[in-house]
Amino acid sequence: MTFPLVSVEEVWFRYDDGPPALRGVSLEIRRGEWVAILGCNGSGKSTLVKHFNGLLKPWRGRVLVEGVDTRRRQVGEWARLIAYLPQHPDRIIFSASVREEVAFAPRLQGVSGVELERRVDTALEALGLQDSAELPPAALGHGLRRKVALAAVLAQEPALLILDEPTNGLDAGSARDFLEVVAQRHRQGTAVVLITHDLELAAQYAGRAVLMQAGEVVADGPTRTVLGEAALLRKAGLESLPVTETAHALREAGLAGMRTDLLLPEEFAEAYLAAAGGGRDGR
Amino acid sequence: MMLDLYIRRDAWYHRLDPRTKFGLTVLFAAAAALIGHPLWMFALLALLHILPLSSRVPPARLLSAWRPLWPITVIILVLGSFTWGAGDAAVWWRWGQVSVGPASVLQAVTMALRVDALAFAFSLLLWTTEQGELVAGLTRLGLPHAASLTLAMSMQFVPTFGRIFSEIMEAQESRGLVIPRNPLRAARAYLPVLIPLIITALRTVDHLAMALAARGYGAAGRRTSRRQLRMRWMDGLALAGGAALLMAVLLSRGL
């Protein structure tokens, strides 16, 4: 029997004596998926993903990783399967050199020798950090520290990579470069869970989107479908993508054939030309 | 997200002059140090619960203060009961040098409650006093302004660094870090947690210093203060109450 990588079953959770931060959440993460978790601040996104590797334990319900309840093992034992990149890279950086930092997690998994060197070199190369390998990571700039943190979790070679707002504080170009590295790992079979406010990044990379509001999952499905739900997005505190908004506006203005399930500018251009009747060689 | 311990309320203890609250904290601490009987200590601890509650500090905040305190309380109770019984006239149980008797248990209970009372005395000050008031109060008591600001900020940043410690712990556990039960090995295993915490603290200090300098802190000229401290009749009453409590403790000890 094949289990989903992560199975969240009717999970409720609350911090201390506060109100519930998760309210009966159920979902599955399957191997090789790229799932974007969307929602405004305080919607429960980070709380949810911290259940995937047992950092938080449900108050009610259960979370299974490959069929095993997360309560039955220590968090560290899930590191072979699940890697978690926190919002702030400084939360993980402690070693004297970038190379040592990247080697830390594989070493804890018992990886050594040639295999350890391969993992470290692959991760450093993926992020273009070869020249910084012997530098102290804490002394690097913010963008480079983010890269070191990503290299450190990539070296775990997990089946699931959880990224908590990984592009915060990065300019658009650096954010794209950063996620291209993740996309490369995804193409090799790693499942990715991406927490983000940036719907454009979700549209570009994630095949599936989960929309959260006040600790509940209010939409879960193909990214195209979820991001097309303008009313739901607004209710959850997010704004639709400009291309989707414009497509809706054109349709309401009388362009009857205009498609509205659009995410990317190039899709918009094609749909507009088709709806306006000109096609590529028309107007 | 809890950035400091202060709980904003328009309530009587909050409205006291910060110097009064410092004075009361010292009186409570002195009482806790001098009380020798568990019943008295229990009464002091009860008073240190009633005071914040009467100033509308939420009961949940008192409960969360107990969360780190109760393991310490239990450790003192257990260790004290077994190690302070050497001179006990009546012994309930003895094994070599280790014995338990009524006197050792009473002493352990007193010591455990003393630690709790001290923690609650300082928590009461921080729950009810804004950072600006702490600084103003310490400065009016004669401390240089820079020292008052440093002290007040250090106290208020304790919960912030507590939260950062938890985040670092989570991140390193996710990388496979497991803290062993053996205390010596555990101390070494904490390095990947403590180093990022120190680096974050140093960065925070740098950012704070820059933010303060950017807002003109340290500029030449006479400092003025928006916050004008004034003692009122309630302050006198509260200090008299605190002094009476200490006097009663001293009398009960026959001093």
Side-chain angles (χ1 to χ4, degrees), chain B residues 22 134-152:
Chain B
F22 286 131
L134 282 175
V135 176
L138 288 166
T139 309
R140 285 292 293 273
L141 287 171
L143 215 61
H145 187 269
S148 313
L149 186 66
T150 309
L151 194 65

Side-chain angles (χ1 to χ4, degrees), chain A residues 90-120:
Chain A
D90 297 338
R91 300 293 184 260
I92 68 170
I93 286 172
F94 78 98
S95 300
S97 74
V98 169
R99 177 172 287 279
E100 283 299 309
E101 192 65 64
V102 176
F104 175 70
R107 270 206 191 108
L108 286 177
Q109 292 172 27
V111 178
S112 61
V114 179
E115 172 61 8
L116 180 64
E117 289 306 309
R118 182 196 65 77
R119 283 198 191 193
V120 173

Side-chain angles (χ1 to χ4, degrees), chain A residues 16-17 50 53 55-56 74-76 79 82 84 86 88 90-94 101 104-105 108 138 145 152 156, chain B residues 60 63 67 163-164 167-179 191-193 195-196 199-200 203:
Chain A
D16 297 331
D17 302 310
K50 283 181 183 175
N53 64 345
L55 281 173
L56 297 177
Q74 282 189 293
V75 178
I82 299 175
Y84 168 70
H88 304 284
D90 297 338
R91 300 293 184 260
I92 68 170
I93 286 172
F94 78 98
E101 192 65 64
F104 175 70
L108 286 177
R145 294 206 303 277
Q156 283 177 239
Chain B
L63 277 178
R67 208 158 291 138
R163 179 179 51 77
I164 293 172
E167 286 178 12
I168 296 170
M169 195 70 205
E170 284 178 354
Q172 302 296 33
E173 280 183 320
S174 298
R175 297 171 81 189
L177 181 72
V178 177
I179 305 292
L191 278 182
V193 181
I195 293 172
I199 293 171
T200 306
R203 281 217 172 92

Side-chain angles (χ1 to χ4, degrees), chain B residues 2-255:
Chain B
M2 188 169 68
L3 280 179
D4 63 36
L5 292 169
Y6 177 63
I7 300 154
R8 189 172 296 282
R9 292 283 186 277
D10 185 18
W12 77 274
Y13 204 91
H14 288 70
R15 281 194 295 268
L16 290 177
D17 187 286
R19 290 166 294 180
T20 306
K21 287 187 258 186
F22 286 131
L24 287 173
T25 307
V26 170
L27 287 171
F28 292 142
L34 290 170
I35 290 173
H37 195 278
L39 273 181
W40 274 89
M41 196 64 88
F42 185 79
L44 176 66
L45 189 57
L47 176 69
L48 289 168
H49 281 66
I50 292 165
L51 289 177
L53 287 172
S54 69
S55 201
R56 304 205 337 257
V57 170
R61 191 55 77 84
L62 271 73
L63 277 178
S64 64
W66 270 109
R67 208 158 291 138
L69 268 180
W70 76 259
I72 301 168
T73 308
V74 171
I75 288 170
I76 297 173
L77 274 177
V78 173
L79 290 181
S81 300
F82 281 88
T83 52
W84 294 324
D88 246 348
V91 171
W92 292 333
W93 179 84
R94 185 188 295 279
W95 184 67
Q97 291 296 309
V98 181
S99 61
V100 184
S104 69
V105 170
L106 282 180
Q107 200 181 341
V109 171
T110 311
M111 183 55 87
L113 294 178
R114 178 174 292 140
V115 170
D116 299 335
L118 284 170
F120 271 89
F122 283 96
S123 299
L124 175 60
L125 172 69
L126 296 178
W127 283 331
T128 56
T129 318
E130 236 185 309
Q131 184 177 296
E133 280 190 326
L134 282 175
V135 176
L138 288 166
T139 309
R140 285 292 293 273
L141 287 171
L143 215 61
H145 187 269
S148 313
L149 186 66
T150 309
L151 194 65
M153 281 180 147
S154 320
M155 284 193 276
Q156 299 288 17
F157 264 96
V158 168
T160 306
F161 282 106
R163 179 179 51 77
I164 293 172
F165 178 85
S166 307
E167 286 178 12
I168 296 170
M169 195 70 205
E170 284 178 354
Q172 302 296 33
E173 280 183 320
S174 298
R175 297 171 81 189
L177 181 72
V178 177
I179 305 292
R181 285 175 192 276
N182 177 320
L184 283 178
R185 290 176 62 201
R188 193 177 152 75
Y190 267 113
L191 278 182
V193 181
L194 294 178
I195 293 172
L197 186 68
I198 292 165
I199 293 171
T200 306
L202 293 175
R203 281 217 172 92
T204 309
V205 168
D206 256 359
H207 291 159
L208 270 176
M210 276 192 270
L212 284 170
R215 294 167 73 186
Y217 191 78
R222 197 176 66 84
R223 251 195 98 80
T224 57
S225 177
R226 186 177 62 82
R227 212 178 293 268
Q228 296 301 320
L229 300 182
R230 197 160 51 87
M231 291 287 228
R232 279 175 282 228
W233 65 269
M234 195 61 191
D235 292 288
L237 205 63
L239 281 171
L245 170 81
L246 188 62
M247 193 60 75
V249 171
L250 289 171
L251 288 174
S252 76
R253 288 178 63 96
L255 295 172

